[in-house]
Amino acid sequence: MATVPFAANFDLVDEFLVKFKNISLKYQTSENPDFTKDLWSIVEAEARVIPTRSGSALPLTFEDMQSAQSVGAAESRLPYSMRTVEWLNENGRCMDNIRPGNSTIRDAGRGAFASRFIPKGGLVAPGPVLHIPNKAAMNMYETDPLTGNRDTTKESGKQLILNYCFGHGKSTLLYNIHTYNRLLGSRRARLVT
């Protein structure tokens, strides 16, 4: 999965594209008409080898790169983020089936509430998850007061984030939810401890 670029990464790419254009204007000749295209293919290949936020902000094609030199790297991505209503009806998912709110149960705190009817077996809320390959990473240990080092023979508890993870009791793998799904409750943690 690509690393999501920030606005500053698009700014860096815009600066890079100015330098790229200067190099291509300087070295592209009638004897080497494909210089700019060849140079761009090297840039694309390097961005795939070592994924970075700025690499993810690069224009996606040679044609996009040419467009980005006049409209900017972020603007050149706009056509890829727009979908027709028909496409959304066929491929989209409702992201607002739940909303955060205060529970009506005394001292229960905040939780997730349906914002519309959700049929049995229906999608409550799609959401990305963080994969935690080894649930032992959630263990906390006592610290030796003299050295400040962890004593891995003396477990003192679990990380609080474990309350918002789910997994299988016979697996080391945990999933941590990254959306309003966190508000669905922390009882799932009992499945993984």
Side-chain angles (χ1 to χ4, degrees):
M1 184 171 140
T3 306
V4 178
F6 295 133
N9 300 111
F10 286 107
D11 293 340
L12 287 171
V13 168
D14 288 339
E15 292 172 19
F16 169 78
L17 291 175
V18 169
K19 293 174 185 173
F20 181 88
K21 185 175 184 177
N22 291 336
I23 291 170
S24 64
L25 289 173
K26 184 176 180 181
Y27 292 103
Q28 183 156 329
T29 63
S30 56
E31 294 88 36
N32 188 6
D34 293 330
F35 175 80
T36 302
K37 226 174 204 175
D38 293 343
L39 185 58
W40 184 251
S41 67
I42 292 169
V43 170
E44 287 180 310
E46 286 298 314
R48 282 192 300 270
V49 171
I50 306 172
T52 63
R53 288 188 192 280
S54 294
S56 294
L58 286 169
L60 299 175
T61 66
F62 179 75
E63 293 74 20
D64 290 342
M65 181 272 297
Q66 291 175 312
S67 168
Q69 289 179 339
S70 58
V71 299
E75 187 77 18
S76 75
R77 292 290 188 97
L78 192 57
Y80 297 102
S81 62
M82 298 174 74
R83 302 288 187 231
T84 65
V85 172
E86 293 79 22
W87 186 94
L88 290 172
N89 285 335
E90 186 175 328
N91 302 290
R93 300 279 187 268
C94 283
M95 298 293 288
D96 63 346
N97 285 344
I98 59 173
R99 61 174 174 73
N102 292 323
S103 176
T104 56
I105 300 169
R106 186 173 170 206
D107 297 324
R110 293 179 55 78
F113 297 87
S115 54
R116 65 174 55 82
F117 174 74
I118 302 171
K120 183 177 181 177
L123 178 69
V124 174
V129 294
L130 170 69
H131 297 90
I132 302 170
N134 189 346
K135 65 183 174 187
M138 300 293 104
N139 296 343
M140 295 191 314
Y141 300 96
E142 292 184 17
T143 305
D144 184 318
L146 298 175
T147 64
N149 295 332
R150 285 188 315 166
D151 183 349
T152 55
T153 63
K154 297 178 182 173
E155 189 176 320
S156 63
K158 304 284 185 189
Q159 296 286 342
L160 183 60
I161 194 172
L162 185 62
N163 290 334
Y164 303 97
C165 294
F166 63 96
H168 189 277
K170 293 184 179 179
S171 172
T172 63
L173 182 65
L174 293 176
Y175 298 103
N176 177 251
I177 305 168
H178 281 275
T179 63
Y180 278 147
N181 295 356
R182 285 181 180 216
L183 297 170
L184 293 175
S186 61
R187 288 191 291 172
R188 286 189 219 143
R190 293 184 190 141
L191 298 173
V192 296
T193 55

